[in-house]
Tab-separated table of all heavy atoms in Angstrom:
chain	number	residue	atom	x	y	z
A	11	GLY	N	5.020	-2.819	2.729
A	11	GLY	CA	6.175	-2.392	3.522
A	11	GLY	C	7.003	-1.305	2.889
A	11	GLY	O	8.154	-1.082	3.297
A	12	CYS	N	6.478	-0.600	1.911
A	12	CYS	CA	7.244	0.436	1.221
A	12	CYS	C	7.671	1.542	2.175
A	12	CYS	O	6.964	1.865	3.143
A	12	CYS	CB	6.424	1.026	0.079
A	12	CYS	SG	4.962	1.924	0.626
A	13	VAL	N	8.831	2.138	1.917
A	13	VAL	CA	9.324	3.271	2.705
A	13	VAL	C	9.701	4.455	1.822
A	13	VAL	O	9.729	5.590	2.293
A	13	VAL	CB	10.533	2.860	3.574
A	13	VAL	CG1	10.107	1.925	4.679
A	13	VAL	CG2	11.616	2.215	2.722
A	14	ASP	N	9.989	4.201	0.564
A	14	ASP	CA	10.309	5.280	-0.366
A	14	ASP	C	9.027	6.069	-0.678
A	14	ASP	O	8.017	5.472	-1.071
A	14	ASP	CB	10.896	4.713	-1.663
A	14	ASP	CG	11.314	5.800	-2.625
A	14	ASP	OD1	12.428	6.335	-2.485
A	14	ASP	OD2	10.508	6.135	-3.527
A	15	PRO	N	9.020	7.387	-0.490
A	15	PRO	CA	7.795	8.180	-0.687
A	15	PRO	C	7.162	7.996	-2.061
A	15	PRO	O	5.936	7.899	-2.175
A	15	PRO	CB	8.262	9.619	-0.472
A	15	PRO	CG	9.466	9.491	0.414
A	15	PRO	CD	10.129	8.216	0.007
A	16	LYS	N	7.960	7.940	-3.096
A	16	LYS	CA	7.418	7.784	-4.447
A	16	LYS	C	6.738	6.431	-4.608
A	16	LYS	O	5.670	6.323	-5.221
A	16	LYS	CB	8.528	7.955	-5.477
A	16	LYS	CG	9.109	9.362	-5.528
A	16	LYS	CD	10.179	9.469	-6.608
A	16	LYS	CE	10.752	10.886	-6.675
A	16	LYS	NZ	11.811	11.001	-7.689
A	17	GLU	N	7.371	5.386	-4.085
A	17	GLU	CA	6.788	4.056	-4.185
A	17	GLU	C	5.478	3.967	-3.393
A	17	GLU	O	4.486	3.414	-3.868
A	17	GLU	CB	7.779	3.012	-3.660
A	17	GLU	CG	9.000	2.816	-4.534
A	17	GLU	CD	8.650	2.215	-5.885
A	17	GLU	OE1	7.978	1.174	-5.904
A	17	GLU	OE2	9.041	2.799	-6.912
A	18	CYS	N	5.472	4.526	-2.193
A	18	CYS	CA	4.268	4.484	-1.365
A	18	CYS	C	3.123	5.242	-2.032
A	18	CYS	O	1.974	4.783	-2.025
A	18	CYS	CB	4.555	5.074	0.021
A	18	CYS	SG	5.618	4.032	1.050
A	19	TYR	N	3.421	6.384	-2.588
A	19	TYR	CA	2.363	7.166	-3.238
A	19	TYR	C	1.812	6.418	-4.452
A	19	TYR	O	0.623	6.491	-4.758
A	19	TYR	CB	2.897	8.530	-3.650
A	19	TYR	CG	1.813	9.470	-4.123
A	19	TYR	CD1	1.056	10.198	-3.206
A	19	TYR	CD2	1.520	9.613	-5.480
A	19	TYR	CE1	0.037	11.038	-3.623
A	19	TYR	CE2	0.500	10.449	-5.907
A	19	TYR	CZ	-0.232	11.163	-4.977
A	19	TYR	OH	-1.243	11.992	-5.401
A	20	LYS	N	2.670	5.678	-5.130
A	20	LYS	CA	2.226	4.910	-6.294
A	20	LYS	C	1.254	3.809	-5.885
A	20	LYS	O	0.288	3.519	-6.606
A	20	LYS	CB	3.443	4.307	-7.005
A	20	LYS	CG	3.075	3.487	-8.241
A	20	LYS	CD	4.329	2.988	-8.949
A	20	LYS	CE	5.044	1.945	-8.113
A	20	LYS	NZ	6.190	1.336	-8.842
A	21	TYR	N	1.475	3.208	-4.721
A	21	TYR	CA	0.648	2.079	-4.296
A	21	TYR	C	-0.610	2.500	-3.534
A	21	TYR	O	-1.659	1.871	-3.682
A	21	TYR	CB	1.461	1.125	-3.424
A	21	TYR	CG	2.546	0.398	-4.183
A	21	TYR	CD1	3.881	0.493	-3.790
A	21	TYR	CD2	2.245	-0.389	-5.289
A	21	TYR	CE1	4.885	-0.171	-4.472
A	21	TYR	CE2	3.242	-1.059	-5.989
A	21	TYR	CZ	4.560	-0.944	-5.582
A	21	TYR	OH	5.550	-1.598	-6.270
A	22	CYS	N	-0.530	3.548	-2.706
A	22	CYS	CA	-1.680	3.882	-1.849
A	22	CYS	C	-1.940	5.376	-1.717
A	22	CYS	O	-2.721	5.793	-0.842
A	22	CYS	CB	-1.494	3.274	-0.461
A	22	CYS	SG	-0.098	3.955	0.459
A	23	GLN	N	-1.307	6.196	-2.545
A	23	GLN	CA	-1.494	7.653	-2.511
A	23	GLN	C	-1.177	8.242	-1.140
A	23	GLN	O	-1.786	9.228	-0.705
A	23	GLN	CB	-2.933	8.037	-2.910
A	23	GLN	CG	-3.234	7.863	-4.385
A	23	GLN	CD	-3.341	6.396	-4.776
A	23	GLN	OE1	-4.108	5.652	-4.172
A	23	GLN	NE2	-2.586	5.983	-5.782
A	24	ASN	N	-0.220	7.640	-0.443
A	24	ASN	CA	0.260	8.162	0.834
A	24	ASN	C	1.770	8.056	0.841
A	24	ASN	O	2.315	6.958	0.725
A	24	ASN	CB	-0.340	7.370	2.004
A	24	ASN	CG	-0.040	8.003	3.348
A	24	ASN	OD1	0.985	8.639	3.545
A	24	ASN	ND2	-0.954	7.823	4.290
A	25	GLU	N	2.454	9.176	0.964
A	25	GLU	CA	3.916	9.172	0.856
A	25	GLU	C	4.603	8.623	2.101
A	25	GLU	O	5.792	8.332	2.061
A	25	GLU	CB	4.410	10.600	0.592
A	25	GLU	CG	3.981	11.157	-0.763
A	25	GLU	CD	4.557	12.532	-1.022
A	25	GLU	OE1	5.142	13.108	-0.073
A	25	GLU	OE2	4.436	13.033	-2.154
A	26	VAL	N	3.890	8.487	3.196
A	26	VAL	CA	4.523	8.061	4.446
A	26	VAL	C	4.598	6.544	4.553
A	26	VAL	O	5.646	5.969	4.809
A	26	VAL	CB	3.771	8.637	5.654
A	26	VAL	CG1	4.433	8.189	6.955
A	26	VAL	CG2	3.742	10.156	5.579
A	27	SER	N	3.461	5.869	4.351
A	27	SER	CA	3.413	4.419	4.523
A	27	SER	C	2.135	3.872	3.910
A	27	SER	O	1.160	4.600	3.739
A	27	SER	CB	3.491	4.060	6.010
A	27	SER	OG	3.256	2.684	6.212
A	28	CYS	N	2.152	2.569	3.602
A	28	CYS	CA	0.966	1.887	3.088
A	28	CYS	C	0.518	0.774	4.028
A	28	CYS	O	-0.193	-0.150	3.614
A	28	CYS	CB	1.246	1.302	1.699
A	28	CYS	SG	1.397	2.546	0.391
A	29	SER	N	0.927	0.841	5.282
A	29	SER	CA	0.583	-0.225	6.221
A	29	SER	C	-0.925	-0.313	6.459
A	29	SER	O	-1.431	-1.375	6.822
A	29	SER	CB	1.312	-0.005	7.551
A	29	SER	OG	0.952	1.245	8.120
A	30	ASN	N	-1.654	0.795	6.257
A	30	ASN	CA	-3.109	0.758	6.454
A	30	ASN	C	-3.811	-0.128	5.421
A	30	ASN	O	-4.958	-0.532	5.622
A	30	ASN	CB	-3.696	2.168	6.376
A	30	ASN	CG	-3.299	3.022	7.565
A	30	ASN	OD1	-2.996	2.512	8.631
A	30	ASN	ND2	-3.273	4.331	7.366
A	31	THR	N	-3.143	-0.421	4.337
A	31	THR	CA	-3.753	-1.232	3.275
A	31	THR	C	-3.443	-2.712	3.435
A	31	THR	O	-3.798	-3.503	2.564
A	31	THR	CB	-3.265	-0.759	1.894
A	31	THR	OG1	-1.844	-1.019	1.774
A	31	THR	CG2	-3.519	0.729	1.705
A	32	ALA	N	-2.769	-3.099	4.516
A	32	ALA	CA	-2.299	-4.481	4.664
A	32	ALA	C	-3.447	-5.475	4.615
A	32	ALA	O	-3.437	-6.416	3.807
A	32	ALA	CB	-1.514	-4.628	5.970
A	33	TYR	N	-4.452	-5.304	5.462
A	33	TYR	CA	-5.533	-6.287	5.498
A	33	TYR	C	-6.421	-6.222	4.256
A	33	TYR	O	-6.765	-7.278	3.702
A	33	TYR	CB	-6.371	-6.126	6.765
A	33	TYR	CG	-7.204	-7.352	7.044
A	33	TYR	CD1	-6.669	-8.446	7.714
A	33	TYR	CD2	-8.516	-7.441	6.598
A	33	TYR	CE1	-7.424	-9.579	7.947
A	33	TYR	CE2	-9.275	-8.576	6.830
A	33	TYR	CZ	-8.722	-9.638	7.500
A	33	TYR	OH	-9.464	-10.769	7.723
A	34	PRO	N	-6.836	-5.038	3.798
A	34	PRO	CA	-7.617	-5.008	2.544
A	34	PRO	C	-6.886	-5.668	1.381
A	34	PRO	O	-7.496	-6.361	0.564
A	34	PRO	CB	-7.825	-3.512	2.292
A	34	PRO	CG	-7.753	-2.897	3.638
A	34	PRO	CD	-6.741	-3.697	4.389
A	35	ARG	N	-5.574	-5.460	1.319
A	35	ARG	CA	-4.785	-6.081	0.250
A	35	ARG	C	-4.828	-7.598	0.358
A	35	ARG	O	-4.985	-8.317	-0.638
A	35	ARG	CB	-3.334	-5.590	0.355
A	35	ARG	CG	-2.374	-6.182	-0.647
A	35	ARG	CD	-2.447	-5.483	-1.954
A	35	ARG	NE	-1.541	-6.059	-2.943
A	35	ARG	CZ	-1.338	-5.564	-4.146
A	35	ARG	NH1	-1.969	-4.465	-4.505
A	35	ARG	NH2	-0.532	-6.132	-4.991
A	36	LEU	N	-4.727	-8.100	1.582
A	36	LEU	CA	-4.760	-9.540	1.799
A	36	LEU	C	-6.104	-10.116	1.378
A	36	LEU	O	-6.173	-11.169	0.724
A	36	LEU	CB	-4.505	-9.820	3.285
A	36	LEU	CG	-4.158	-11.249	3.690
A	36	LEU	CD1	-2.820	-11.659	3.112
A	36	LEU	CD2	-4.148	-11.372	5.209
A	37	VAL	N	-7.187	-9.434	1.731
A	37	VAL	CA	-8.528	-9.907	1.383
A	37	VAL	C	-8.726	-9.927	-0.123
A	37	VAL	O	-9.228	-10.904	-0.703
A	37	VAL	CB	-9.599	-9.022	2.064
A	37	VAL	CG1	-10.987	-9.349	1.528
A	37	VAL	CG2	-9.555	-9.211	3.573
A	38	LEU	N	-8.327	-8.856	-0.787
A	38	LEU	CA	-8.549	-8.748	-2.223
A	38	LEU	C	-7.723	-9.749	-3.027
A	38	LEU	O	-8.123	-10.172	-4.110
A	38	LEU	CB	-8.224	-7.324	-2.699
A	38	LEU	CG	-9.162	-6.222	-2.190
A	38	LEU	CD1	-8.660	-4.858	-2.631
A	38	LEU	CD2	-10.581	-6.454	-2.700
A	39	GLU	N	-6.593	-10.145	-2.497
A	39	GLU	CA	-5.692	-11.018	-3.255
A	39	GLU	C	-5.960	-12.499	-3.050
A	39	GLU	O	-5.822	-13.291	-3.977
A	39	GLU	CB	-4.238	-10.702	-2.882
A	39	GLU	CG	-3.761	-9.338	-3.329
A	39	GLU	CD	-3.660	-9.217	-4.836
A	39	GLU	OE1	-3.557	-10.264	-5.513
A	39	GLU	OE2	-3.682	-8.083	-5.341
A	40	ILE	N	-6.331	-12.915	-1.832
A	40	ILE	CA	-6.399	-14.357	-1.562
A	40	ILE	C	-7.816	-14.889	-1.415
A	40	ILE	O	-8.009	-16.098	-1.404
A	40	ILE	CB	-5.589	-14.718	-0.290
A	40	ILE	CG1	-6.274	-14.170	0.961
A	40	ILE	CG2	-4.164	-14.221	-0.390
A	40	ILE	CD1	-5.610	-14.632	2.240
A	41	MET	N	-8.817	-14.012	-1.302
A	41	MET	CA	-10.186	-14.494	-1.138
A	41	MET	C	-10.898	-14.535	-2.480
A	41	MET	O	-10.688	-13.657	-3.334
A	41	MET	CB	-10.969	-13.599	-0.173
A	41	MET	CG	-10.463	-13.637	1.254
A	41	MET	SD	-11.538	-12.746	2.404
A	41	MET	CE	-12.936	-13.863	2.477
């Protein structure tokens, strides 16, 4: 849910949003 461009780029290399990584992140963390 990041909105700060620097934070988003740090997590997913996209300054706008990291919402596209929601499901992959869920799979990698809980499965």
Side-chain angles (χ1 to χ4, degrees):
C12 66
V13 291
D14 183 83
K16 294 182 179 179
E17 291 294 308
C18 289
Y19 189 83
K20 180 177 69 174
Y21 292 123
C22 65
Q23 288 72 54
N24 189 329
E25 294 183 351
V26 180
S27 172
C28 289
S29 60
N30 290 335
T31 66
Y33 197 84
R35 178 82 181 185
L36 195 66
V37 170
L38 293 175
E39 293 293 338
I40 69 173
M41 294 188 72

